[in-house]
Amino acid sequence: MGKIKCVISYDGTSFSGFQIQPKKRTVHGELEKALKKIHKGEHIRLQASGRTDTGVHAKGQTIHFDTPFDIPEENWKRALNTLLPDDLYVREVEKVIDSFHVRYDVLEKEYRYYIWNEKERDVFKQNYAYQFPFQLDIEAIQEACNHLEGEHDFTTFSSAKATTKGSKVRTLYQVSCVKRGSEIEFIFRGSGFLYNMVRIIVGAMLDVGQGRRHQDDMVKLLEQKDRQLLGETVPPQGLYLWNVKYK
Amino acid sequence: MGKIKCVISYDGTSFSGFQIQPKKRTVHGELEKALKKIHKGEHIRLQASGRTDTGVHAKGQTIHFDTPFDIPEENWKRALNTLLPDDLYVREVEKVIDSFHVRYDVLEKEYRYYIWNEKERDVFKQNYAYQFPFQLDIEAIQEACNHLEGEHDFTTFSSAKATTKGSKVRTLYQVSCVKRGSEIEFIFRGSGFLYNMVRIIVGAMLDVGQGRRHQDDMVKLLEQKDRQLLGETVPPQGLYLWNVKYK
């Protein structure tokens, strides 16, 4: 009896995203199936730190569920991984106090975005990074990244499809970009993220890197709070929900 | 008019191997479809340096075909890549002399095999390396590798399913093993390889690495020329046809 928190990873390639949908293969759906088997047919509700879109990957997504069973953490992990498909894996299982909530108690989330900056396609990266063939000014991107760190209203960088009615103010603790060989890695750590926010920011960064927009524009873009100014999002396969931190 | 040689790469995950088969998605099949479109419905026969099994990848497989068309090499590359699926890519196109044969003229082939030596599953490696959870003595494996270099009869290391009637003598120029972090990389360079030979060798190497077989056994195993002595093959997803060299 009690509440179980899991850290899970998944290769998003063959999932229609996280959220459960009829007739679609989703991460939530596969997790529920496994939990139902363990609970002998009983439906177990689960919560996640947030949803991820089709094709988006997770290194460290978090979920919780309540169970009438009292099973050691290691056995939970083994039982779940035996039942789950190969592209979905439970990395950690932890018993948590009843008041814990995997979404409301988030202290910090980390996303990463990978770009394969090469003219030639690499078949082994097509599902795991965004191939971008043009040259990029990484220093300009890094400066633009710096402008986004801190507490801001990110309305300009949120999707028009966003349903969040509340505040668009978020705090980003880290926005960084490094290039290693042909791979460009963006790291985003923040108190929370709006829908499509990371992919819209990366899209803007690619504009900066090509000189189509100046790095200092970021300041004005934030102030304008206008979703119409941006909106080009980069594709999902470069995005990873990397880590979720709690108190 | 003339003969075209291509260097291609493919992610073997979603292919039922290289060889054309009815109702199966194969590398050969996808290539033929693309060539047929370019040739306005005319069937174009193609040859490869060799076949690869289901799940086996290629960084540098080679093929050739004859064409009545006279198209610049860069245009061939663009036309083919436009028609081919995302997990199959033509890296290089070269016009070659009519007497060239992509299989008979091979000077050297290189295969690599990747092992992910970790207890925990990594969902991003499941299709691209063989996860092996037990500790391995890499030095012992390296010594065993050395015993296989040079000219030998590799009957012991060939599949019982092999159909080759000819000589089982092959020359291996390089058999090596390195560990970087949790990744173990085997490199095999040789005049040619028997069916399943790389995967059988790696299987024997894992025995050596676990102390279930001594590194010096390799000498005796080669001498015994008995397929029954070995035969455990490691799974296909760790194997890459890396490069094929010609005169």
Side-chain angles (χ1 to χ4, degrees):
Chain A
M1 265 195 61
K3 193 169 243 177
I4 303 288
K5 173 198 166 207
C6 301
V7 181
I8 65 171
S9 64
Y10 45 89
D11 177 338
T13 309
S14 306
F15 288 107
S16 299
F18 188 89
Q19 198 190 356
I20 206 156
Q21 294 170 71
K23 291 182 186 170
K24 293 269 173 86
R25 185 174 186 268
T26 70
V27 178
H28 194 159
E30 294 298 319
L31 286 166
E32 276 204 355
K33 261 199 275 179
L35 284 171
K36 200 170 180 176
K37 268 193 194 147
I38 292 173
H39 291 86
K40 304 177 195 328
E42 192 190 339
H43 173 76
I44 300 293
R45 270 172 62 91
L46 68 90
Q47 298 286 337
S49 76
R51 294 162 184 174
T52 53
D53 283 340
T54 301
V56 173
H57 311 290
K59 281 283 213 181
Q61 166 74 292
T62 47
I63 59 157
H64 83 233
F65 59 87
D66 289 294
T67 176
F69 291 164
D70 189 19
I71 308 176
E73 289 160 346
E74 262 312 301
N75 296 16
W76 268 116
K77 181 173 167 178
R78 201 174 323 115
L80 283 164
N81 282 324
T82 304
L83 293 168
L84 289 170
D86 280 353
D87 49 357
L88 173 53
Y89 184 69
V90 175
R91 287 171 48 196
E92 290 168 34
V93 173
E94 193 192 336
K95 293 184 185 186
V96 286
I97 52 170
D98 281 343
S99 61
F100 174 82
H101 195 288
V102 80
R103 189 161 70 251
Y104 306 143
D105 293 352
V106 170
L107 208 63
E108 182 187 309
K109 269 183 146 175
E110 178 175 342
Y111 283 95
R112 297 197 181 184
Y113 196 93
Y114 288 92
I115 287 173
W116 182 242
N117 195 13
E118 274 287 347
K119 282 199 176 51
E120 295 284 317
R121 187 138 60 84
D122 182 328
V123 294
F124 300 103
K125 303 215 181 280
Q126 46 154 349
N127 295 323
Y128 305 104
Y130 170 35
Q131 191 213 333
F132 188 80
F134 309 111
Q135 224 187 317
L136 291 167
D137 178 346
I138 301 293
E139 277 182 43
I141 292 177
Q142 284 162 339
E143 277 185 53
C145 285
N146 289 340
H147 288 309
L148 297 182
E149 289 186 353
E151 189 183 77
H152 303 286
D153 183 314
F154 283 96
T155 302
T156 309
F157 296 88
S158 74
S159 166
K161 283 186 282 178
T163 51
T164 324
K165 297 236 171 55
S167 162
K168 302 285 197 302
V169 175
R170 297 289 185 276
T171 304
L172 296 189
Y173 309 119
Q174 180 184 355
V175 183
S176 63
C177 173
V178 287
K179 187 168 179 178
R180 299 186 199 87
S182 301
E183 184 183 86
I184 298 173
E185 176 188 69
F186 284 93
I187 300 183
F188 298 88
R189 291 192 301 112
S191 62
F193 292 84
L194 304 169
Y195 184 59
N196 267 359
M197 178 170 149
V198 170
R199 286 162 62 188
I200 293 170
I201 292 176
V202 173
M205 293 299 165
L206 292 181
D207 285 347
V208 170
Q210 292 173 96
R212 292 167 53 189
R213 191 183 282 283
H214 194 271
Q215 48 266 42
D216 297 336
D217 282 6
M218 295 300 137
V219 182
K220 215 173 67 188
L221 281 167
L222 284 167
E223 282 168 4
Q224 288 171 309
K225 292 177 193 141
D226 183 356
R227 297 172 169 189
Q228 310 298 323
L229 296 173
L230 292 167
E232 260 187 289
T233 59
V234 287
Q237 74 271 18
L239 185 60
Y240 294 72
L241 171 52
W242 203 263
N243 191 29
V244 188
K245 267 193 196 161
Y246 297 89
K247 284 147 212 160
Chain B
M1 266 194 64
K3 195 169 240 176
I4 303 288
K5 174 199 167 205
C6 301
V7 181
I8 64 171
S9 64
Y10 44 88
D11 176 339
T13 309
S14 307
F15 288 107
S16 299
F18 188 89
Q19 198 191 354
I20 207 156
Q21 293 172 73
K23 291 183 189 172
K24 291 265 173 90
R25 185 175 185 267
T26 71
V27 178
H28 194 158
E30 295 298 319
L31 287 166
E32 276 206 353
K33 260 198 276 177
L35 285 171
K36 200 170 180 176
K37 268 191 195 149
I38 292 173
H39 292 86
K40 303 175 197 323
E42 193 191 338
H43 173 77
I44 301 292
R45 271 174 61 93
L46 68 91
Q47 298 284 338
S49 76
R51 294 164 185 174
T52 52
D53 283 339
T54 301
V56 174
H57 311 289
K59 280 283 216 184
Q61 166 75 292
T62 47
I63 60 157
H64 83 234
F65 58 87
D66 289 295
T67 175
F69 292 164
D70 190 16
I71 308 177
E73 289 161 345
E74 261 312 300
N75 296 15
W76 268 116
K77 182 173 166 177
R78 202 172 323 118
L80 283 164
N81 283 325
T82 303
L83 293 167
L84 289 170
D86 280 352
D87 49 357
L88 174 52
Y89 184 70
V90 175
R91 286 173 45 195
E92 291 169 33
V93 173
E94 192 191 340
K95 291 182 185 188
V96 287
I97 52 171
D98 281 345
S99 62
F100 174 83
H101 196 290
V102 80
R103 188 161 68 250
Y104 306 142
D105 293 353
V106 170
L107 208 65
E108 183 186 306
K109 269 183 148 176
E110 178 175 339
Y111 283 96
R112 298 197 180 183
Y113 196 93
Y114 289 91
I115 287 172
W116 182 243
N117 194 14
E118 273 288 346
K119 283 200 174 56
E120 295 285 318
R121 187 140 59 84
D122 183 328
V123 293
F124 300 102
K125 303 216 182 280
Q126 47 152 347
N127 295 322
Y128 305 104
Y130 170 35
Q131 191 213 334
F132 189 80
F134 309 112
Q135 224 186 316
L136 292 167
D137 179 345
I138 301 294
E139 278 183 42
I141 292 177
Q142 285 161 339
E143 278 186 52
C145 285
N146 290 340
H147 289 308
L148 297 181
E149 288 186 356
E151 188 182 77
H152 304 285
D153 183 315
F154 283 97
T155 302
T156 308
F157 296 89
S158 73
S159 167
K161 284 184 281 177
T163 50
T164 325
K165 297 237 169 54
S167 163
K168 302 285 196 303
V169 175
R170 296 289 185 278
T171 305
L172 296 188
Y173 308 118
Q174 179 185 356
V175 183
S176 63
C177 174
V178 286
K179 187 169 178 178
R180 297 185 201 87
S182 301
E183 184 183 86
I184 298 173
E185 176 189 68
F186 285 92
I187 299 183
F188 299 87
R189 289 191 306 112
S191 63
F193 292 84
L194 303 168
Y195 184 61
N196 266 0
M197 178 170 150
V198 171
R199 286 163 61 188
I200 293 170
I201 292 176
V202 173
M205 291 301 163
L206 292 181
D207 285 346
V208 170
Q210 294 172 93
R212 293 166 54 189
R213 188 183 284 283
H214 194 268
Q215 49 264 43
D216 297 336
D217 281 7
M218 295 300 136
V219 184
K220 215 174 66 188
L221 281 166
L222 283 166
E223 282 167 3
Q224 288 172 310
K225 293 178 193 139
D226 183 355
R227 295 171 169 192
Q228 310 299 323
L229 296 174
L230 292 169
E232 258 187 292
T233 60
V234 286
Q237 74 271 18
L239 185 60
Y240 294 72
L241 171 52
W242 202 263
N243 191 29
V244 188
K245 269 192 196 163
Y246 297 89
K247 284 148 213 157

